[in-house]
Amino acid sequence: MSLVADGVDVRQTEDDLTLVLSAAGAEVMRLRVRYEGWDDEVINPAGAAAPGPGAFTLIGHELRLEFGARTVADVGYARDCRVRLDVDDEGIRRVRAALLEILQCACYIVDTAEGRVCS
């Protein structure tokens, strides 16, 4: 599955941190961590939630999320879900920072100004 997102919004409350990816103003995907229990989840545009990815990569402007079978069934994203991020460098930095906090237990590979970092 290949999606495109041209908008990035990071929302933080005292209960959770949420990364919202959107395209042309319509939500594409939300990734959220609930601070109580540090449970991460993915939420589709219809509002269905499931466990977050077990691994992710953010290389350049391509975000790749690897979901388990339950998530695939519950929210309809492909096991290997790719999102093309059509955002500027500041948007990429915001996505990277949010993902590293939200998906702390996931395996990852991300590009940074200092080079590629892996978990």
Side-chain angles (χ1 to χ4, degrees):
M1 172 179 272
S2 186
L3 304 169
V4 176
D6 60 17
V8 172
D9 188 21
V10 178
R11 302 173 187 163
Q12 188 166 16
T13 69
E14 52 188 61
D15 297 324
D16 60 47
L17 175 67
T18 304
L19 171 64
V20 180
L21 302 176
S22 60
E27 189 174 298
V28 172
M29 175 185 295
R30 279 184 280 159
L31 293 151
R32 174 173 61 193
V33 64
R34 294 176 190 261
Y35 294 133
E36 185 176 319
W38 285 95
D39 294 320
D40 60 80
E41 60 189 354
V42 62
I43 304 157
N44 70 12
F56 73 95
T57 59
L58 178 57
I59 305 217
H61 287 256
E62 183 175 275
L63 172 62
R64 181 177 169 204
L65 304 161
E66 295 179 22
F67 293 117
R70 177 176 164 209
T71 298
V72 171
D74 289 352
V75 297
Y77 294 121
R79 182 178 282 284
D80 179 18
C81 182
R82 295 171 189 251
V83 183
R84 172 75 185 159
L85 300 170
D86 287 338
V87 297
D88 61 15
D89 289 342
E90 177 58 27
I92 295 294
R93 282 191 288 277
R94 292 176 68 211
V95 167
R96 180 177 54 239
L99 287 173
L100 288 171
E101 184 166 345
I102 293 168
L103 303 175
Q104 290 186 13
C105 294
C107 297
Y108 63 84
I109 301 171
V110 295
D111 277 343
T112 69
E114 294 78 29
R116 196 160 284 171
V117 179
C118 304
S119 64

